[in-house]
PDB file of all heavy atoms in Angstrom:
ATOM      1  N   PHE A   1     138.395  46.596 -80.931  1.00 96.00           N
ATOM      2  CA  PHE A   1     138.314  45.140 -80.865  1.00 96.00           C
ATOM      3  C   PHE A   1     137.512  44.590 -82.037  1.00 96.00           C
ATOM      4  O   PHE A   1     137.923  43.625 -82.682  1.00 96.00           O
ATOM      5  CB  PHE A   1     137.685  44.698 -79.543  1.00 96.00           C
ATOM      6  CG  PHE A   1     137.417  43.225 -79.477  1.00 96.00           C
ATOM      7  CD1 PHE A   1     138.454  42.323 -79.335  1.00 96.00           C
ATOM      8  CD2 PHE A   1     136.127  42.734 -79.581  1.00 96.00           C
ATOM      9  CE1 PHE A   1     138.217  40.958 -79.287  1.00 96.00           C
ATOM     10  CE2 PHE A   1     135.868  41.377 -79.535  1.00 96.00           C
ATOM     11  CZ  PHE A   1     136.926  40.482 -79.394  1.00 96.00           C
ATOM     12  N   LEU A   2     136.367  45.203 -82.327  1.00 97.00           N
ATOM     13  CA  LEU A   2     135.532  44.731 -83.438  1.00 97.00           C
ATOM     14  C   LEU A   2     136.249  44.852 -84.779  1.00 97.00           C
ATOM     15  O   LEU A   2     136.135  43.969 -85.638  1.00 97.00           O
ATOM     16  CB  LEU A   2     134.201  45.487 -83.462  1.00 97.00           C
ATOM     17  CG  LEU A   2     133.277  45.215 -82.274  1.00 97.00           C
ATOM     18  CD1 LEU A   2     132.043  46.112 -82.337  1.00 97.00           C
ATOM     19  CD2 LEU A   2     132.880  43.745 -82.210  1.00 97.00           C
ATOM     20  N   LEU A   3     137.019  45.909 -84.956  1.00 97.00           N
ATOM     21  CA  LEU A   3     137.802  46.051 -86.187  1.00 97.00           C
ATOM     22  C   LEU A   3     138.865  44.956 -86.291  1.00 97.00           C
ATOM     23  O   LEU A   3     139.144  44.440 -87.372  1.00 97.00           O
ATOM     24  CB  LEU A   3     138.436  47.439 -86.266  1.00 97.00           C
ATOM     25  CG  LEU A   3     137.464  48.578 -86.584  1.00 97.00           C
ATOM     26  CD1 LEU A   3     138.143  49.929 -86.423  1.00 97.00           C
ATOM     27  CD2 LEU A   3     136.903  48.426 -87.995  1.00 97.00           C
ATOM     28  N   THR A   4     139.442  44.582 -85.165  1.00 97.00           N
ATOM     29  CA  THR A   4     140.415  43.497 -85.175  1.00 97.00           C
ATOM     30  C   THR A   4     139.748  42.172 -85.517  1.00 97.00           C
ATOM     31  O   THR A   4     140.330  41.341 -86.220  1.00 97.00           O
ATOM     32  CB  THR A   4     141.144  43.406 -83.818  1.00 97.00           C
ATOM     33  OG1 THR A   4     141.772  44.660 -83.551  1.00 97.00           O
ATOM     34  CG2 THR A   4     142.203  42.316 -83.826  1.00 97.00           C
ATOM     35  N   VAL A   5     138.528  41.958 -85.044  1.00 97.00           N
ATOM     36  CA  VAL A   5     137.786  40.739 -85.408  1.00 97.00           C
ATOM     37  C   VAL A   5     137.541  40.720 -86.918  1.00 97.00           C
ATOM     38  O   VAL A   5     137.714  39.683 -87.573  1.00 97.00           O
ATOM     39  CB  VAL A   5     136.458  40.644 -84.622  1.00 97.00           C
ATOM     40  CG1 VAL A   5     135.576  39.532 -85.156  1.00 97.00           C
ATOM     41  CG2 VAL A   5     136.738  40.433 -83.136  1.00 97.00           C
ATOM     42  N   ILE A   6     137.176  41.861 -87.490  1.00 98.00           N
ATOM     43  CA  ILE A   6     136.985  41.946 -88.942  1.00 98.00           C
ATOM     44  C   ILE A   6     138.298  41.655 -89.659  1.00 98.00           C
ATOM     45  O   ILE A   6     138.326  40.918 -90.657  1.00 98.00           O
ATOM     46  CB  ILE A   6     136.421  43.322 -89.333  1.00 98.00           C
ATOM     47  CG1 ILE A   6     134.992  43.466 -88.805  1.00 98.00           C
ATOM     48  CG2 ILE A   6     136.463  43.537 -90.848  1.00 98.00           C
ATOM     49  CD1 ILE A   6     134.439  44.870 -88.885  1.00 98.00           C
ATOM     50  N   ALA A   7     139.399  42.202 -89.145  1.00 97.00           N
ATOM     51  CA  ALA A   7     140.715  41.941 -89.734  1.00 97.00           C
ATOM     52  C   ALA A   7     141.044  40.454 -89.673  1.00 97.00           C
ATOM     53  O   ALA A   7     141.594  39.889 -90.630  1.00 97.00           O
ATOM     54  CB  ALA A   7     141.798  42.758 -89.017  1.00 97.00           C
ATOM     55  N   ALA A   8     140.692  39.794 -88.583  1.00 97.00           N
ATOM     56  CA  ALA A   8     140.945  38.360 -88.443  1.00 97.00           C
ATOM     57  C   ALA A   8     140.126  37.562 -89.455  1.00 97.00           C
ATOM     58  O   ALA A   8     140.630  36.610 -90.065  1.00 97.00           O
ATOM     59  CB  ALA A   8     140.626  37.899 -87.022  1.00 97.00           C
ATOM     60  N   LEU A   9     138.872  37.950 -89.640  1.00 97.00           N
ATOM     61  CA  LEU A   9     138.032  37.260 -90.617  1.00 97.00           C
ATOM     62  C   LEU A   9     138.582  37.436 -92.030  1.00 97.00           C
ATOM     63  O   LEU A   9     138.592  36.486 -92.827  1.00 97.00           O
ATOM     64  CB  LEU A   9     136.590  37.778 -90.535  1.00 97.00           C
ATOM     65  CG  LEU A   9     135.835  37.421 -89.258  1.00 97.00           C
ATOM     66  CD1 LEU A   9     134.509  38.183 -89.196  1.00 97.00           C
ATOM     67  CD2 LEU A   9     135.608  35.922 -89.165  1.00 97.00           C
ATOM     68  N   LEU A  10     139.043  38.627 -92.343  1.00 97.00           N
ATOM     69  CA  LEU A  10     139.648  38.861 -93.658  1.00 97.00           C
ATOM     70  C   LEU A  10     140.929  38.055 -93.829  1.00 97.00           C
ATOM     71  O   LEU A  10     141.182  37.500 -94.900  1.00 97.00           O
ATOM     72  CB  LEU A  10     139.923  40.357 -93.854  1.00 97.00           C
ATOM     73  CG  LEU A  10     138.690  41.232 -94.060  1.00 97.00           C
ATOM     74  CD1 LEU A  10     139.055  42.710 -93.956  1.00 97.00           C
ATOM     75  CD2 LEU A  10     138.047  40.931 -95.406  1.00 97.00           C
ATOM     76  N   ALA A  11     141.723  37.968 -92.772  1.00 97.00           N
ATOM     77  CA  ALA A  11     142.955  37.171 -92.841  1.00 97.00           C
ATOM     78  C   ALA A  11     142.630  35.706 -93.052  1.00 97.00           C
ATOM     79  O   ALA A  11     143.302  35.012 -93.821  1.00 97.00           O
ATOM     80  CB  ALA A  11     143.783  37.360 -91.566  1.00 97.00           C
ATOM     81  N   ALA A  12     141.585  35.218 -92.403  1.00 97.00           N
ATOM     82  CA  ALA A  12     141.181  33.818 -92.562  1.00 97.00           C
ATOM     83  C   ALA A  12     140.743  33.528 -93.994  1.00 97.00           C
ATOM     84  O   ALA A  12     140.862  32.397 -94.467  1.00 97.00           O
ATOM     85  CB  ALA A  12     140.051  33.483 -91.587  1.00 97.00           C
ATOM     86  N   GLN A  13     140.254  34.548 -94.696  1.00 97.00           N
ATOM     87  CA  GLN A  13     139.842  34.389 -96.084  1.00 97.00           C
ATOM     88  C   GLN A  13     140.988  34.617 -97.059  1.00 97.00           C
ATOM     89  O   GLN A  13     140.796  34.530 -98.264  1.00 97.00           O
ATOM     90  CB  GLN A  13     138.691  35.348 -96.403  1.00 97.00           C
ATOM     91  CG  GLN A  13     137.444  35.072 -95.609  1.00 97.00           C
ATOM     92  CD  GLN A  13     136.397  36.160 -95.774  1.00 97.00           C
ATOM     93  OE1 GLN A  13     136.617  37.179 -96.419  1.00 97.00           O
ATOM     94  NE2 GLN A  13     135.229  35.935 -95.181  1.00 97.00           N
ATOM     95  N   GLY A  14     142.154  34.957 -96.535  1.00 95.00           N
ATOM     96  CA  GLY A  14     143.323  35.174 -97.380  1.00 95.00           C
ATOM     97  C   GLY A  14     143.462  36.596 -97.899  1.00 95.00           C
ATOM     98  O   GLY A  14     144.336  36.880 -98.711  1.00 95.00           O
ATOM     99  N   ALA A  15     142.619  37.508 -97.443  1.00 96.00           N
ATOM    100  CA  ALA A  15     142.690  38.909 -97.865  1.00 96.00           C
ATOM    101  C   ALA A  15     143.627  39.657 -96.916  1.00 96.00           C
ATOM    102  O   ALA A  15     143.198  40.489 -96.110  1.00 96.00           O
ATOM    103  CB  ALA A  15     141.296  39.527 -97.871  1.00 96.00           C
ATOM    104  N   TYR A  16     144.920  39.360 -97.025  1.00 96.00           N
ATOM    105  CA  TYR A  16     145.884  39.860 -96.055  1.00 96.00           C
ATOM    106  C   TYR A  16     146.080  41.370 -96.118  1.00 96.00           C
ATOM    107  O   TYR A  16     146.249  42.020 -95.095  1.00 96.00           O
ATOM    108  CB  TYR A  16     147.217  39.143 -96.206  1.00 96.00           C
ATOM    109  CG  TYR A  16     147.097  37.670 -95.936  1.00 96.00           C
ATOM    110  CD1 TYR A  16     147.281  36.740 -96.957  1.00 96.00           C
ATOM    111  CD2 TYR A  16     146.746  37.205 -94.672  1.00 96.00           C
ATOM    112  CE1 TYR A  16     147.149  35.382 -96.707  1.00 96.00           C
ATOM    113  CE2 TYR A  16     146.608  35.859 -94.414  1.00 96.00           C
ATOM    114  CZ  TYR A  16     146.812  34.958 -95.440  1.00 96.00           C
ATOM    115  OH  TYR A  16     146.668  33.624 -95.190  1.00 96.00           O
ATOM    116  N   PHE A  17     146.061  41.948 -97.320  1.00 97.00           N
ATOM    117  CA  PHE A  17     146.246  43.398 -97.418  1.00 97.00           C
ATOM    118  C   PHE A  17     145.077  44.121 -96.757  1.00 97.00           C
ATOM    119  O   PHE A  17     145.276  45.034 -95.954  1.00 97.00           O
ATOM    120  CB  PHE A  17     146.403  43.840 -98.878  1.00 97.00           C
ATOM    121  CG  PHE A  17     146.609  45.320 -99.011  1.00 97.00           C
ATOM    122  CD1 PHE A  17     147.851  45.875 -98.738  1.00 97.00           C
ATOM    123  CD2 PHE A  17     145.568  46.161 -99.361  1.00 97.00           C
ATOM    124  CE1 PHE A  17     148.049  47.244 -98.821  1.00 97.00           C
ATOM    125  CE2 PHE A  17     145.750  47.530 -99.448  1.00 97.00           C
ATOM    126  CZ  PHE A  17     147.004  48.080 -99.187  1.00 97.00           C
ATOM    127  N   LYS A  18     143.848  43.726 -97.105  1.00 97.00           N
ATOM    128  CA  LYS A  18     142.666  44.339 -96.489  1.00 97.00           C
ATOM    129  C   LYS A  18     142.689  44.131 -94.976  1.00 97.00           C
ATOM    130  O   LYS A  18     142.358  45.032 -94.212  1.00 97.00           O
ATOM    131  CB  LYS A  18     141.389  43.744 -97.067  1.00 97.00           C
ATOM    132  CG  LYS A  18     141.119  44.155 -98.492  1.00 97.00           C
ATOM    133  CD  LYS A  18     139.851  43.488 -98.993  1.00 97.00           C
ATOM    134  CE  LYS A  18     139.617  43.802-100.460  1.00 97.00           C
ATOM    135  NZ  LYS A  18     138.434  43.110-100.981  1.00 97.00           N
ATOM    136  N   SER A  19     143.075  42.940 -94.566  1.00 97.00           N
ATOM    137  CA  SER A  19     143.170  42.633 -93.146  1.00 97.00           C
ATOM    138  C   SER A  19     144.152  43.578 -92.455  1.00 97.00           C
ATOM    139  O   SER A  19     143.861  44.106 -91.379  1.00 97.00           O
ATOM    140  CB  SER A  19     143.613  41.183 -92.956  1.00 97.00           C
ATOM    141  OG  SER A  19     143.855  40.909 -91.593  1.00 97.00           O
ATOM    142  N   GLY A  20     145.293  43.797 -93.074  1.00 96.00           N
ATOM    143  CA  GLY A  20     146.302  44.687 -92.507  1.00 96.00           C
ATOM    144  C   GLY A  20     145.824  46.118 -92.383  1.00 96.00           C
ATOM    145  O   GLY A  20     146.066  46.782 -91.369  1.00 96.00           O
ATOM    146  N   VAL A  21     145.104  46.593 -93.415  1.00 97.00           N
ATOM    147  CA  VAL A  21     144.580  47.963 -93.383  1.00 97.00           C
ATOM    148  C   VAL A  21     143.573  48.111 -92.243  1.00 97.00           C
ATOM    149  O   VAL A  21     143.641  49.070 -91.452  1.00 97.00           O
ATOM    150  CB  VAL A  21     143.944  48.337 -94.744  1.00 97.00           C
ATOM    151  CG1 VAL A  21     143.183  49.655 -94.647  1.00 97.00           C
ATOM    152  CG2 VAL A  21     145.017  48.419 -95.826  1.00 97.00           C
ATOM    153  N   ILE A  22     142.646  47.164 -92.140  1.00 97.00           N
ATOM    154  CA  ILE A  22     141.640  47.216 -91.068  1.00 97.00           C
ATOM    155  C   ILE A  22     142.314  47.107 -89.702  1.00 97.00           C
ATOM    156  O   ILE A  22     141.942  47.798 -88.750  1.00 97.00           O
ATOM    157  CB  ILE A  22     140.589  46.096 -91.245  1.00 97.00           C
ATOM    158  CG1 ILE A  22     139.819  46.278 -92.551  1.00 97.00           C
ATOM    159  CG2 ILE A  22     139.628  46.039 -90.055  1.00 97.00           C
ATOM    160  CD1 ILE A  22     138.992  47.532 -92.640  1.00 97.00           C
ATOM    161  N   PHE A  23     143.338  46.259 -89.597  1.00 96.00           N
ATOM    162  CA  PHE A  23     144.050  46.111 -88.326  1.00 96.00           C
ATOM    163  C   PHE A  23     144.723  47.417 -87.913  1.00 96.00           C
ATOM    164  O   PHE A  23     144.678  47.805 -86.738  1.00 96.00           O
ATOM    165  CB  PHE A  23     145.079  44.980 -88.407  1.00 96.00           C
ATOM    166  CG  PHE A  23     145.888  44.840 -87.153  1.00 96.00           C
ATOM    167  CD1 PHE A  23     145.317  44.325 -86.005  1.00 96.00           C
ATOM    168  CD2 PHE A  23     147.205  45.250 -87.123  1.00 96.00           C
ATOM    169  CE1 PHE A  23     146.055  44.207 -84.834  1.00 96.00           C
ATOM    170  CE2 PHE A  23     147.939  45.143 -85.965  1.00 96.00           C
ATOM    171  CZ  PHE A  23     147.367  44.620 -84.816  1.00 96.00           C
ATOM    172  N   VAL A  24     145.342  48.115 -88.867  1.00 95.00           N
ATOM    173  CA  VAL A  24     145.996  49.387 -88.550  1.00 95.00           C
ATOM    174  C   VAL A  24     144.965  50.409 -88.079  1.00 95.00           C
ATOM    175  O   VAL A  24     145.206  51.149 -87.111  1.00 95.00           O
ATOM    176  CB  VAL A  24     146.798  49.911 -89.766  1.00 95.00           C
ATOM    177  CG1 VAL A  24     147.235  51.349 -89.570  1.00 95.00           C
ATOM    178  CG2 VAL A  24     148.007  49.016 -90.013  1.00 95.00           C
ATOM    179  N   ILE A  25     143.810  50.451 -88.732  1.00 95.00           N
ATOM    180  CA  ILE A  25     142.750  51.364 -88.302  1.00 95.00           C
ATOM    181  C   ILE A  25     142.286  51.003 -86.887  1.00 95.00           C
ATOM    182  O   ILE A  25     142.113  51.876 -86.031  1.00 95.00           O
ATOM    183  CB  ILE A  25     141.575  51.355 -89.298  1.00 95.00           C
ATOM    184  CG1 ILE A  25     142.034  51.935 -90.639  1.00 95.00           C
ATOM    185  CG2 ILE A  25     140.385  52.148 -88.750  1.00 95.00           C
ATOM    186  CD1 ILE A  25     141.065  51.714 -91.784  1.00 95.00           C
ATOM    187  N   GLY A  26     142.113  49.708 -86.628  1.00 94.00           N
ATOM    188  CA  GLY A  26     141.725  49.263 -85.293  1.00 94.00           C
ATOM    189  C   GLY A  26     142.775  49.612 -84.249  1.00 94.00           C
ATOM    190  O   GLY A  26     142.451  49.945 -83.105  1.00 94.00           O
ATOM    191  N   SER A  27     144.043  49.547 -84.651  1.00 91.00           N
ATOM    192  CA  SER A  27     145.128  49.893 -83.725  1.00 91.00           C
ATOM    193  C   SER A  27     145.091  51.367 -83.346  1.00 91.00           C
ATOM    194  O   SER A  27     145.466  51.732 -82.230  1.00 91.00           O
ATOM    195  CB  SER A  27     146.482  49.555 -84.355  1.00 91.00           C
ATOM    196  OG  SER A  27     146.585  48.164 -84.544  1.00 91.00           O
ATOM    197  N   LEU A  28     144.634  52.206 -84.275  1.00 91.00           N
ATOM    198  CA  LEU A  28     144.501  53.628 -83.958  1.00 91.00           C
ATOM    199  C   LEU A  28     143.470  53.819 -82.838  1.00 91.00           C
ATOM    200  O   LEU A  28     143.693  54.594 -81.909  1.00 91.00           O
ATOM    201  CB  LEU A  28     144.091  54.420 -85.198  1.00 91.00           C
ATOM    202  CG  LEU A  28     143.840  55.906 -84.986  1.00 91.00           C
ATOM    203  CD1 LEU A  28     145.096  56.620 -84.506  1.00 91.00           C
ATOM    204  CD2 LEU A  28     143.334  56.546 -86.263  1.00 91.00           C
ATOM    205  N   PHE A  29     142.366  53.084 -82.919  1.00 91.00           N
ATOM    206  CA  PHE A  29     141.367  53.161 -81.854  1.00 91.00           C
ATOM    207  C   PHE A  29     141.966  52.696 -80.531  1.00 91.00           C
ATOM    208  O   PHE A  29     141.708  53.270 -79.487  1.00 91.00           O
ATOM    209  CB  PHE A  29     140.129  52.322 -82.200  1.00 91.00           C
ATOM    210  CG  PHE A  29     139.204  52.986 -83.167  1.00 91.00           C
ATOM    211  CD1 PHE A  29     139.391  52.851 -84.528  1.00 91.00           C
ATOM    212  CD2 PHE A  29     138.147  53.756 -82.712  1.00 91.00           C
ATOM    213  CE1 PHE A  29     138.541  53.462 -85.425  1.00 91.00           C
ATOM    214  CE2 PHE A  29     137.286  54.382 -83.600  1.00 91.00           C
ATOM    215  CZ  PHE A  29     137.494  54.234 -84.970  1.00 91.00           C
ATOM    216  N   ASP A  30     142.783  51.644 -80.596  1.00 87.00           N
ATOM    217  CA  ASP A  30     143.412  51.130 -79.380  1.00 87.00           C
ATOM    218  C   ASP A  30     144.387  52.147 -78.791  1.00 87.00           C
ATOM    219  O   ASP A  30     144.507  52.268 -77.578  1.00 87.00           O
ATOM    220  CB  ASP A  30     144.125  49.810 -79.681  1.00 87.00           C
ATOM    221  CG  ASP A  30     144.651  49.159 -78.426  1.00 87.00           C
ATOM    222  OD1 ASP A  30     143.912  49.103 -77.415  1.00 87.00           O
ATOM    223  OD2 ASP A  30     145.815  48.708 -78.434  1.00 87.00           O
ATOM    224  N   ALA A  31     145.073  52.879 -79.663  1.00 86.00           N
ATOM    225  CA  ALA A  31     146.001  53.901 -79.178  1.00 86.00           C
ATOM    226  C   ALA A  31     145.257  55.092 -78.581  1.00 86.00           C
ATOM    227  O   ALA A  31     145.751  55.753 -77.663  1.00 86.00           O
ATOM    228  CB  ALA A  31     146.902  54.373 -80.319  1.00 86.00           C
ATOM    229  N   LEU A  32     144.053  55.348 -79.096  1.00 91.00           N
ATOM    230  CA  LEU A  32     143.301  56.519 -78.648  1.00 91.00           C
ATOM    231  C   LEU A  32     142.537  56.318 -77.351  1.00 91.00           C
ATOM    232  O   LEU A  32     142.318  57.272 -76.607  1.00 91.00           O
ATOM    233  CB  LEU A  32     142.304  56.930 -79.732  1.00 91.00           C
ATOM    234  CG  LEU A  32     142.830  57.819 -80.836  1.00 91.00           C
ATOM    235  CD1 LEU A  32     141.786  57.963 -81.929  1.00 91.00           C
ATOM    236  CD2 LEU A  32     143.210  59.176 -80.290  1.00 91.00           C
ATOM    237  N   ASP A  33     142.113  55.086 -77.071  1.00 91.00           N
ATOM    238  CA  ASP A  33     141.213  54.897 -75.929  1.00 91.00           C
ATOM    239  C   ASP A  33     141.815  55.359 -74.611  1.00 91.00           C
ATOM    240  O   ASP A  33     141.166  56.063 -73.835  1.00 91.00           O
ATOM    241  CB  ASP A  33     140.671  53.468 -75.849  1.00 91.00           C
ATOM    242  CG  ASP A  33     141.760  52.407 -75.737  1.00 91.00           C
ATOM    243  OD1 ASP A  33     142.950  52.754 -75.628  1.00 91.00           O
ATOM    244  OD2 ASP A  33     141.406  51.216 -75.786  1.00 91.00           O
ATOM    245  N   GLY A  34     143.037  55.007 -74.353  1.00 89.00           N
ATOM    246  CA  GLY A  34     143.683  55.430 -73.107  1.00 89.00           C
ATOM    247  C   GLY A  34     143.925  56.928 -73.063  1.00 89.00           C
ATOM    248  O   GLY A  34     143.781  57.564 -72.013  1.00 89.00           O
ATOM    249  N   THR A  35     144.283  57.491 -74.220  1.00 91.00           N
ATOM    250  CA  THR A  35     144.527  58.929 -74.282  1.00 91.00           C
ATOM    251  C   THR A  35     143.232  59.704 -74.055  1.00 91.00           C
ATOM    252  O   THR A  35     143.214  60.702 -73.332  1.00 91.00           O
ATOM    253  CB  THR A  35     145.151  59.304 -75.645  1.00 91.00           C
ATOM    254  OG1 THR A  35     146.289  58.478 -75.882  1.00 91.00           O
ATOM    255  CG2 THR A  35     145.578  60.752 -75.677  1.00 91.00           C
ATOM    256  N   VAL A  36     142.131  59.232 -74.658  1.00 93.00           N
ATOM    257  CA  VAL A  36     140.834  59.879 -74.447  1.00 93.00           C
ATOM    258  C   VAL A  36     140.444  59.797 -72.968  1.00 93.00           C
ATOM    259  O   VAL A  36     139.947  60.770 -72.393  1.00 93.00           O
ATOM    260  CB  VAL A  36     139.741  59.249 -75.354  1.00 93.00           C
ATOM    261  CG1 VAL A  36     138.350  59.702 -74.940  1.00 93.00           C
ATOM    262  CG2 VAL A  36     139.996  59.608 -76.808  1.00 93.00           C
ATOM    263  N   ALA A  37     140.685  58.650 -72.346  1.00 93.00           N
ATOM    264  CA  ALA A  37     140.363  58.501 -70.919  1.00 93.00           C
ATOM    265  C   ALA A  37     141.173  59.483 -70.073  1.00 93.00           C
ATOM    266  O   ALA A  37     140.633  60.125 -69.164  1.00 93.00           O
ATOM    267  CB  ALA A  37     140.614  57.066 -70.469  1.00 93.00           C
ATOM    268  N   ARG A  38     142.463  59.601 -70.374  1.00 91.00           N
ATOM    269  CA  ARG A  38     143.323  60.505 -69.611  1.00 91.00           C
ATOM    270  C   ARG A  38     142.934  61.963 -69.838  1.00 91.00           C
ATOM    271  O   ARG A  38     142.756  62.725 -68.889  1.00 91.00           O
ATOM    272  CB  ARG A  38     144.785  60.311 -70.009  1.00 91.00           C
ATOM    273  CG  ARG A  38     145.593  59.542 -69.043  1.00 91.00           C
ATOM    274  CD  ARG A  38     147.083  59.530 -69.353  1.00 91.00           C
ATOM    275  NE  ARG A  38     147.444  59.534 -70.765  1.00 91.00           N
ATOM    276  CZ  ARG A  38     147.468  58.456 -71.559  1.00 91.00           C
ATOM    277  NH1 ARG A  38     147.110  57.290 -71.085  1.00 91.00           N
ATOM    278  NH2 ARG A  38     147.825  58.549 -72.810  1.00 91.00           N
TER     279      ARG A  38
END
């Protein structure tokens, strides 16, 4: 979630590529949380 907030702040500043990279990294954490729990 925090990485997505950082991605949103970067997007608001117009740094779309950096925002996308951070968002993809954050998405990996989102994909892992349920798997780690299971």
Side-chain angles (χ1 to χ4, degrees):
F1 173 73
L2 293 175
L3 287 171
T4 302
V5 170
I6 292 168
L9 292 171
L10 289 168
Q13 297 171 355
Y16 298 113
F17 181 78
K18 289 179 184 177
S19 173
V21 170
I22 297 296
F23 177 72
V24 168
I25 294 168
S27 295
L28 177 62
F29 281 87
D30 187 45
L32 276 172
D33 58 5
T35 308
V36 168
R38 257 188 326 279

